[in-house]
Amino acid sequence: MEINLVSDTVTKPNNEMLQAMFRSKVGDDVYKQDPTVIELEEMVANIFGMEAALFFPSGTMANQAAIKLHTNPGEQIICDKWSHIFHYEGGGASFNSGVSCCLVDGERGMITADQVAESINPPDFYHSPKTSLVSIENTTNKGGGACYDIETLRDIEQVCRDHGLKYHLDGARIWNALVAKRQNPKHFGEIFDTISVCLSKGLGAPVGSVLIGDKKTIDRALRVRKIFGGGMRQAGYLAGAGIYALQHNVSRLQEDHNKAKELANVLRNLSWVESVEPVETNILIFAVKPQIPESLVIEKLKQKNVLISALGKGKLRIVTHLDYRDVMHTYVMETLQKMSF
Ligand SMILES: *Cc1c(COP(=O)(O)O)cnc(C)c1O
């Protein structure tokens, strides 16, 4: 038995989810004739209290479409230095939209309204790129699953409104934040121009993300998705998995968070662990003592059938998820406690 804690994307659909996929009614979604895709889009738009939504094959494409919708070539996005849109989307912001990123030195991937305000280029100073979009991530990926307070998000919104900037939320793991902080998704819908959410991370669907916004923006997104090659035909089979995931796998995210916290408590007491970052959701980042190579920790755990990943600079990452069951958790806790260097 292999226990994969590299990411919450490694989950596989269970039997009930597969049955739900099989049962899905489908049509050609490029003609907007797939009833299950439409059902999913309406469902997600309703959750956030926004007008419209569009199903995408990946979170990367949904974010990239949002950037395309909110910017013109030569302009600039303000985002945290660790943002997924900057680090992990293959340079898509510059490739697809011809924009640059003004990187903010945030805290665990989270930025503040003051930092945003300081990063805006004066609109009449034509030597600098025109700032047009602020993109934030919640929960933060490289920041270790940290989540924002609604107040901070509203403060940033105010700065955006004052300066005529668009405001996008990369909410790949927004479900984790909603559960961890008991927040109301409708508040997020009020704050942002667009939100991207993943169904294939904590929720366990095999594929799929959704971009949400007002009707006008999402109508434009349909064209952008087509241009990016993201129009899918009988995509209802995939959307069916997303609907099942939203109905069954949201509130249980608390279990993943509890397990991550329990692992953190074990790690904090181990002699070979230097430090453990605060755990708010399902991502746990810790550092090993400087004399211990991270690769050795990864290798030793691998020999015990436990897979985790390295982030560089002595840091390691564990991500808990739907397929990380209680028996596995007990085994991993024991294995970590027995390990020595
Ligand atoms: C995973 C992730 C995405 C999208 O990833 P895909 O693999 O393209 O679905 C976007 N933003 C963040 C913060 C993520 O963690």
Side-chain angles (χ1 to χ4, degrees):
M1 179 179 66
E2 186 175 81
I3 303 174
N4 190 337
L5 299 174
V6 167
S7 173
D8 46 8
T9 55
V10 301
T11 56
K12 292 173 190 165
N14 65 7
N15 202 34
E16 287 100 81
M17 184 182 278
L18 288 170
Q19 293 305 324
M21 294 169 75
F22 271 129
R23 281 196 305 272
S24 300
K25 296 201 170 47
V26 298
D28 188 336
D29 184 54
V30 173
Y31 291 104
K32 291 309 295 166
Q33 285 169 354
D34 187 301
T36 311
V37 172
I38 291 170
E39 185 187 339
L40 171 70
E41 290 170 345
E42 285 176 355
M43 190 174 169
V44 179
N46 281 335
I47 291 173
F48 289 88
M50 294 180 96
E51 280 175 7
L54 191 65
F55 188 45
F56 277 80
S58 72
T60 298
M61 197 190 281
N63 281 335
Q64 290 299 317
I67 294 170
K68 190 78 197 163
L69 289 165
H70 297 315
T71 63
N72 293 301
E75 294 177 351
Q76 195 163 67
I77 310 172
I78 295 172
C79 59
D80 180 80
K81 62 182 185 300
W82 288 343
S83 308
H84 195 278
I85 61 160
F86 176 71
H87 266 283
Y88 296 132
E89 299 190 1
S94 53
F95 189 94
N96 296 315
S97 298
V99 296
S100 56
C101 294
C102 175
L103 299 180
V104 176
D105 186 15
E107 180 67 33
R108 302 177 65 223
M110 299 187 291
I111 61 178
T112 66
D114 285 346
Q115 287 177 313
V116 170
E118 282 163 17
S119 307
I120 300 170
N121 291 325
D124 49 358
F125 189 69
Y126 58 81
H127 308 270
S128 302
K130 180 172 179 242
T131 308
S132 47
L133 172 65
V134 175
S135 178
I136 69 108
E137 207 169 289
N138 197 39
T139 72
T140 63
N141 178 336
K142 241 170 121 71
C147 6
Y148 280 87
D149 293 327
I150 285 287
E151 293 69 40
T152 309
L153 297 176
R154 285 200 210 278
D155 291 346
I156 299 175
E157 180 197 12
Q158 193 54 51
V159 175
C160 292
R161 302 298 164 236
D162 290 348
H163 293 84
L165 311 179
K166 295 291 181 188
Y167 193 19
H168 173 69
L169 166 61
D170 176 356
R173 291 190 182 81
I174 186 67
W175 316 108
N176 296 88
L178 292 172
V179 169
K181 295 203 105 113
R182 298 177 207 283
Q183 288 162 328
N184 180 350
K186 300 231 165 31
H187 292 161
F188 288 84
E190 287 162 13
I191 292 173
F192 292 95
D193 292 300
T194 47
I195 302 176
S196 65
V197 303
C198 272
L199 305 165
S200 59
K201 294 238 162 103
L203 300 193
V207 175
S209 280
V210 179
L211 183 70
I212 327 159
D214 64 19
K215 181 152 185 332
K216 236 171 119 185
T217 306
I218 298 302
D219 283 349
R220 287 171 57 223
L222 188 61
R223 175 180 289 272
V224 173
R225 188 184 70 176
K226 179 71 193 172
I227 294 166
F228 286 177
M232 298 180 285
R233 301 293 178 179
Q234 284 70 35
Y237 293 118
L238 302 174
I243 292 171
Y244 177 91
L246 285 168
Q247 285 167 341
H248 296 90
N249 294 343
V250 178
S251 59
R252 65 147 305 284
L253 288 169
Q254 188 59 51
E255 294 170 34
D256 300 344
H257 302 173
N258 294 346
K259 287 193 177 94
K261 284 186 186 128
E262 284 163 18
L263 289 169
N265 288 339
V266 165
L267 286 167
R268 274 190 196 101
N269 293 315
L270 299 179
S271 61
W272 48 274
V273 172
E274 174 82 15
S275 60
V276 182
E277 289 183 16
V279 176
E280 288 185 61
T281 54
N282 67 326
I283 303 178
L284 160 57
I285 295 176
F286 66 102
V288 288
K289 289 266 154 65
Q291 66 274 20
I292 304 170
E294 353 164 348
S295 56
L296 186 63
V297 181
I298 290 189
E299 197 42 52
K300 276 201 173 209
L301 279 168
K302 197 173 166 194
Q303 282 164 11
K304 305 278 184 205
N305 295 316
V306 180
L307 308 182
I308 70 167
S309 58
L311 295 179
K313 297 182 183 155
K315 283 189 180 178
L316 295 158
R317 185 177 90 156
I318 289 175
V319 187
T320 58
H321 53 73
L322 184 58
D323 288 355
Y324 177 54
R325 295 189 303 274
D326 292 348
V327 277
M328 299 176 172
H329 184 51
T330 309
Y331 170 80
V332 172
M333 304 249 277
E334 282 168 9
T335 304
L336 285 170
Q337 270 158 339
K338 279 188 222 148
M339 260 171 51
S340 58
F341 293 90

